[in-house]
Amino acid sequence: MDKAGDEYQRFLSQSPAFLDARDKLAIIYLNEGKFNQAIEQYRIALQYDPAWARGYNNLAVVYSKDGNKDEAIRNIEKAVSLRPGSAEFHYNLGIFMLEKGLKERAVREFEIATRLDPGKLLYAIKFIEISEKVKEKVRGKGN
């Protein structure tokens, strides 16, 4: 771990409920491929603030990178339930659904994300790209 990680750990030993420091430390762990340590930091943070939607989103990202798609979806759904107006969270849920092969659900999430933040070209592109694939799949079943 780098010097910044050591500083965050020292700080958290004095102020364990400081979410921003836990988030930064978890990101350091994630970047080092230490998924279990990153997960642990988010779990601790969410014990202090169970309504921290960003924490659930970030925890979902860690689970996804660690290959645990079910936990990623469970946590991103919690983030969406806490902040349904977050285009980013809907987009991430769409990505995780897509990774699970649930294209129609992914399309719905990308559509919501695009509606919530029409200025984000990435959301719109992903929505169009996936919805076209779903339409092709449906057309193929009809023939």
Side-chain angles (χ1 to χ4, degrees), residues 56-76:
Y56 287 104
N57 176 76
N58 295 356
L59 181 55
V61 170
V62 176
Y63 275 122
S64 178
K65 288 186 183 275
D66 194 31
N68 190 337
K69 304 304 180 195
D70 293 332
E71 279 300 308
I73 290 170
R74 190 178 70 72
N75 281 280
I76 193 63

Side-chain angles (χ1 to χ4, degrees), residues 91 114 117-128:
Y91 174 79
T114 303
D117 190 355
K120 283 275 190 190
L121 186 58
L122 179 63
Y123 300 154
I125 290 170
K126 194 55 101 170
F127 167 66
I128 292 166

Side-chain angles (χ1 to χ4, degrees), residues 24 28 31-32 36 43 54 72 80 82 86 94 116 134 136:
K24 299 285 192 277
I28 289 169
N31 290 336
E32 292 176 350
N36 290 336
R43 283 185 177 159
R54 169 69 52 198
V80 167
L82 291 168
S86 171
L116 289 169
V134 170
E136 288 172 17

Side-chain angles (χ1 to χ4, degrees), residues 1-47:
M1 176 172 310
D2 64 9
K3 184 175 173 141
D6 292 338
E7 288 298 318
Y8 286 124
Q9 283 183 325
R10 235 184 326 283
F11 180 80
L12 287 167
S13 71
Q14 301 297 314
S15 303
F18 193 67
L19 299 180
D20 190 50
R22 284 226 181 265
D23 186 39
K24 299 285 192 277
L25 183 57
I27 290 168
I28 289 169
Y29 284 135
L30 175 62
N31 290 336
E32 292 176 350
K34 297 177 179 175
F35 301 120
N36 290 336
Q37 290 94 326
I39 290 166
E40 183 63 21
Q41 291 306 312
Y42 286 119
R43 283 185 177 159
I44 292 169
L46 290 165
Q47 287 175 354

Side-chain angles (χ1 to χ4, degrees), residues 77-93:
E77 285 178 332
K78 179 70 173 176
V80 167
S81 75
L82 291 168
R83 269 196 25 215
S86 171
E88 176 189 358
F89 296 172
H90 282 282
Y91 174 79
N92 287 345
L93 179 53

